[in-house]
Amino acid sequence: MRQKLIIFILLAGLSSASYAVELNPVPFSERFPPQSITSEAIADEVIEAYKKELKDLDAWKEQEDKLCYRKFFVNSCLIDNSRFVREKKVEAKSVWLTARDFLRVKKSNEARTARLAKEEQRKEWDKWLDNLKEEMIDKGISKKTIKRAYKDDYFHEVKEVVIQDKK
């Protein structure tokens, strides 16, 4: 009976070891070199891999910490595990920062391009409006009437009609 219990405990220990978390032997910075981040898709992939890497490191540390309690030098083992995980996280974070910065710069450039397009559109609108005002003054319409029409947003309606007529 006692032998069956010992065999059962050993087999249970072996089966739990088969569910062990295995870390990728290739360092994160070699799997995703920072200079390889050249597109939004790659940057997104790196960010997702970073999240998975953190989860795997935390699971590995938890598993290894449990094994440390079976050893004589428990604190030394725990400290070594913490140091190992910290180093791996720092390495992975440096690549993650590169990917995050790439996405940030891309979004910033897109926002700047949109802002410049709006400014260009506004300049065209102002130029068109100035030309319209000059034409109205040439036709003898008073500046007071032009100002009132401007306040009533009349020119915006006129611009839409002119644009539709061009089409």
Side-chain angles (χ1 to χ4, degrees):
M1 177 73 172
R2 191 169 190 197
Q3 289 176 336
K4 289 182 182 179
L5 181 63
I6 292 172
I7 292 173
F8 176 74
I9 291 172
L10 288 175
L11 288 176
L14 291 175
S15 65
S16 67
S18 66
Y19 294 114
V21 177
E22 292 293 325
L23 294 179
N24 195 329
V26 180
F28 195 80
S29 61
E30 289 180 19
R31 284 183 279 154
F32 301 101
Q35 60 272 16
S36 71
I37 302 171
T38 56
S39 71
E40 190 172 351
I42 295 172
D44 288 336
E45 180 184 348
V46 168
I47 290 171
E48 289 303 315
Y50 174 73
K51 291 176 185 176
K52 183 182 181 312
E53 185 83 5
L54 291 182
K55 287 179 185 177
D56 289 349
L57 284 170
D58 290 338
W60 180 86
K61 184 180 181 314
E62 183 179 322
Q63 168 191 318
E64 292 297 314
D65 285 352
K66 288 178 183 176
L67 295 176
C68 284
Y69 291 108
R70 296 181 183 173
K71 296 180 180 179
F72 182 74
F73 295 109
V74 175
N75 286 339
S76 174
C77 180
L78 293 173
I79 290 169
D80 290 343
N81 289 344
S82 295
R83 185 175 296 130
F84 176 78
V85 168
R86 190 177 327 113
E87 289 171 0
K88 290 288 189 180
K89 283 183 177 182
V90 166
E91 174 193 0
K93 189 171 186 173
S94 67
V95 178
W96 173 78
L97 287 171
T98 304
R100 188 195 64 179
D101 290 345
F102 178 85
L103 290 176
R104 182 182 292 161
V105 167
K106 187 173 187 319
K107 288 177 185 176
S108 173
N109 289 342
E110 288 172 357
R112 185 174 49 104
T113 303
R115 188 187 78 240
L116 291 174
K118 278 187 176 182
E119 288 176 5
E120 184 66 30
Q121 185 179 16
R122 183 66 187 177
K123 285 178 185 177
E124 288 178 19
W125 165 254
D126 289 341
K127 184 179 177 183
W128 181 86
L129 190 58
D130 290 340
N131 289 340
L132 183 64
K133 286 179 184 179
E134 287 176 14
E135 286 178 22
M136 293 176 84
I137 290 172
D138 291 344
K139 290 182 181 179
I141 300 173
S142 69
K143 289 185 178 182
K144 185 176 180 181
T145 306
I146 294 172
K147 285 182 182 178
R148 191 175 323 125
Y150 186 74
K151 284 182 182 177
D152 294 339
D153 204 22
Y154 170 76
F155 294 117
H156 182 70
E157 294 171 9
V158 171
K159 171 99 177 178
E160 288 179 357
V161 170
V162 169
I163 291 172
Q164 289 175 359
D165 288 344
K166 288 182 180 178
K167 291 181 181 178

